[in-house]
Amino acid sequence: MKVRTRSSAIIGALFLAVTLTLTTASADEPTAGPSAQVVLTEVARAQGPSAGAAGPDGKVWIAERAGTVRILGDYGLSAPVLDISDETTTDGERGLLGVAFDPEFAHFYISYTDLEGTSTIDEFAVADGQLQPDTRRTVLTQEQPYPNHNGGDIKFGPDGHLYIAFGDGGSGGDPHGNGQNLDTLLGKILRIDPTGGEPYAIPADNPFVAEEGAKDEIWAYGLRNPWRFSFDAGTGDLLIGDVGQSEWEEIDWAPASSKGGENYGWSSMEGNHPFRGGTEPANHVPPVHEYDRSGLGCSVTGGFVYRGEAIADLAGSYVYSDYCDGTLRTLRIEDGAVTEEGDLGVQGGEVISFVEAGDGELYVLAIGGAVSRLDPA
């Protein structure tokens, strides 16, 4: 592995500075809030930052889409600790798209598309806070028919298993029907045990284990491009930002008690709305929140429920944004319903991702290069 940098760019989108009244799946009208006063403090500049993870010793690791990983310190980003830039490409929506540590910081995982566009999950052992390059191995691969909707986010859940997000395969309108097809990993959230077998094990309680015509790895389905998802560090609930087709952006929610198997509807549904004459599946789990693309933005960027200590008024609120709008917004969710919506009044630029540090504080990544921390005003 070489150590070098390469600038990257993401598919262009117009930056919109507009507002609108948000809609919600809740039957009750949510209230405005929260009252938190915040600022974004730029702490570093990166080359196309795409993802990040809380690492050993309280450090935050930042992935750059062209294939490098750096560690955030007191004086900015380190030299690359990993460089796979000769193994990936930033064509389309490809590149280094996700990173994660296991709960013991014993292994580091990367999610990227290789030069042929195949989604790939690789593992490295970690010793004394450092990657061990010679231990690299490929855990899982998935061929991609098109260069968009690769998904790419990866997270360890409260159960210690690795969750993997894949989009529906790309193009537009899900031409292969992957979202509702249980015989493919595309358009899904997967759940695997990466160290329990070779190359991985499938948890016995996954919802479709041993079901004929269904992939055992699937945890949830009916997703278009679940670009960013997260687990609430306080409750264990799962939140997914699923990018819409042309009209609706959605945020999906599942309680920590979920046994998996949720069908979020795509491509029969776009949010709460039948897509191109589709019929709502009987088992459709509607989004906890949706918003109209015609006013706010073009691509939801899922975030995290804030569990830090620096901004008391923000505690328990889900913070998210949109790539084309850049405004940081919030939801408070109780028992699967949105009870409060908020606008934090700060712009993050073309927000591509959020990172939750080990102490619960949040960082915002803009594809233009800014790595910013959400601070009290």
Side-chain angles (χ1 to χ4, degrees), residues 3-329:
V3 176
R4 60 186 176 89
T5 63
R6 188 195 303 174
S7 61
S8 63
I10 198 164
I11 291 179
L14 294 176
F15 181 88
L16 305 176
V18 296
T19 60
L20 92 168
T21 301
L22 299 178
T23 60
T24 177
S26 172
D28 299 321
E29 188 69 21
T31 60
S35 59
Q37 301 296 309
V38 303
V39 296
L40 279 176
T41 305
E42 185 172 311
V43 295
R45 299 289 299 181
Q47 296 293 324
S50 56
D57 303 319
K59 301 292 187 181
V60 171
W61 291 41
I62 300 294
E64 296 171 314
R65 186 168 164 242
T68 47
V69 178
R70 303 172 186 268
I71 300 174
L72 181 62
D74 294 336
Y75 302 99
L77 294 171
S78 72
V81 295
L82 177 66
D83 185 351
I84 62 161
S85 56
D86 58 351
E87 301 176 47
T88 189
T89 173
T90 58
D91 292 344
E93 296 174 7
R94 297 167 174 169
L96 177 55
L97 305 177
V99 293
F101 284 92
D102 65 18
E104 293 78 31
F105 301 111
H107 298 91
F108 180 67
Y109 296 85
I110 60 174
S111 174
Y112 68 100
T113 52
D114 69 13
L115 294 175
E116 285 71 47
T118 298
S119 291
T120 306
I121 311 296
D122 280 0
E123 174 196 87
F124 296 82
V126 179
D128 298 323
Q130 297 184 339
L131 297 186
Q132 306 300 301
D134 293 343
T135 67
R136 182 180 180 180
R137 72 182 185 96
T138 295
V139 176
L140 182 147
T141 61
Q142 170 62 50
E143 291 185 1
Q144 294 282 354
Y146 303 101
N148 61 334
H149 301 186
N150 299 148
D153 204 6
I154 52 176
K155 295 282 192 305
F156 276 85
D159 55 11
H161 294 313
L162 179 62
Y163 291 72
I164 301 166
F166 284 147
D168 64 5
S171 186
D174 194 10
H176 302 293
N178 291 325
Q180 293 295 305
N181 181 6
L182 293 175
D183 194 28
T184 176
L185 302 183
L186 296 172
K188 314 295 190 295
I189 297 283
L190 315 181
R191 178 184 185 241
I192 65 171
D193 176 0
T195 59
E198 184 57 46
Y200 58 88
I202 296 171
D205 58 348
N206 270 11
F208 299 106
V209 167
E211 182 172 320
E212 186 176 356
K215 297 291 187 183
D216 294 346
E217 295 90 341
I218 296 172
W219 179 256
Y221 68 108
L223 294 158
R224 181 177 179 273
N225 190 24
W227 170 247
R228 291 292 173 250
F229 71 95
S230 65
F231 292 94
D232 183 342
T235 66
D237 297 345
L238 171 64
L239 290 126
I240 307 166
D242 194 20
V243 179
Q245 171 74 27
S246 56
E247 296 186 28
W248 298 95
E249 298 298 307
E250 72 179 79
I251 293 169
D252 299 306
W253 174 90
S257 60
S258 170
K259 303 300 181 183
E262 287 86 359
N263 178 6
Y264 293 113
W266 178 256
S267 59
S268 298
M269 306 289 290
E270 184 181 11
N272 286 303
H273 314 271
F275 178 71
R276 293 181 181 173
T279 300
E280 182 174 15
N283 63 343
H284 177 222
V285 178
V288 72
H289 183 70
E290 64 176 12
Y291 60 87
D292 187 345
R293 254 188 172 205
S294 66
L296 178 60
C298 74
S299 179
V300 64
T301 301
F304 290 86
V305 175
Y306 180 76
R307 297 296 178 185
E309 297 182 356
I311 313 170
D313 290 337
L314 197 58
S317 291
Y318 178 69
V319 182
Y320 70 103
S321 189
D322 186 286
Y323 176 75
C324 295
D325 173 75
T327 302
L328 268 57
R329 303 180 187 274

